[in-house]
Amino acid sequence: MGAGDADLALVFGYDAEPVGLGSLVWRPLLTEPVHLVLPPAGTVSSLDELAGADWIGGCERCRVHLVDCCREAGFEPALRHETDDYVVVQNLVARGLGVTALPESALTAYRHPEVRVLEEPALGHRVVGVAHRPGADQVPATAALLRELVTVVGGG
């Protein structure tokens, strides 16, 4: 994508606004928790109990967040699979091929009936918002879309 190819970008960061926005204007829309996603059987109840587990990582930003959280919990996660498709991730977990962390919106969009989802404060939260060039919000169509996003999703 070249400069000016998009008027708005839906972006996210963990526990803060995304890094690398440069001169773009950032407008947060929602903050959501990140949850542990586990196979149906088991007694695990927190992140620190998963030191020996196989892990499924998402996109690069999600993997970095996952690794940082695991390190904070005292272990290095063994990343055995990587995909940013949250449906595939949940299918892998349901088949016992690993555990993962997913934001609430991914679990709202699709929830595999054979996974267990646990709230885990140690995984923090994800902030989702819109980024745009300065002044792009003055274009009528862009301004209308921003207003609709704020109305539907939330945020300032």
Side-chain angles (χ1 to χ4, degrees), residues 1 6-12 21 24-27 129-132:
M1 222 165 87
D7 294 318
L8 297 172
L10 190 63
V11 294
F12 66 89
L21 293 178
L24 295 176
V25 175
W26 161 252
R27 183 170 192 161
V130 176
H132 61 79

Side-chain angles (χ1 to χ4, degrees), residues 88-136:
V88 171
V89 169
Q90 291 181 59
N91 276 287
L92 291 169
V93 171
R95 300 301 175 263
L97 297 174
V99 298
T100 197
L102 286 175
E104 190 165 290
S105 60
L107 294 162
T108 300
Y110 173 76
R111 174 84 174 261
H112 193 290
E114 297 176 30
V115 299
R116 286 187 308 131
V117 176
L118 298 178
E119 291 185 21
E120 177 52 81
L123 292 173
H125 62 276
R126 184 170 85 156
V127 181
V128 180
V130 176
H132 61 79
R133 293 181 322 279

Side-chain angles (χ1 to χ4, degrees), residues 32-117:
E32 61 182 343
V34 179
H35 301 291
L36 279 175
V37 183
L38 306 166
T43 60
V44 171
S45 62
S46 66
L47 179 63
D48 59 353
E49 296 176 50
L50 294 166
D54 289 338
W55 284 85
I56 304 161
C59 71
E60 182 178 350
R61 187 174 298 167
C62 296
R63 286 191 310 271
V64 167
H65 177 73
L66 173 65
V67 169
D68 288 347
C69 290
C70 291
R71 286 178 179 160
E72 190 70 27
F75 67 94
E76 190 72 25
L79 290 170
R80 299 293 181 225
H81 307 281
E82 294 178 3
T83 176
D84 59 0
D85 185 325
Y86 58 88
V87 174
V88 171
V89 169
Q90 291 181 59
N91 276 287
L92 291 169
V93 171
R95 300 301 175 263
L97 297 174
V99 298
T100 197
L102 286 175
E104 190 165 290
S105 60
L107 294 162
T108 300
Y110 173 76
R111 174 84 174 261
H112 193 290
E114 297 176 30
V115 299
R116 286 187 308 131
V117 176

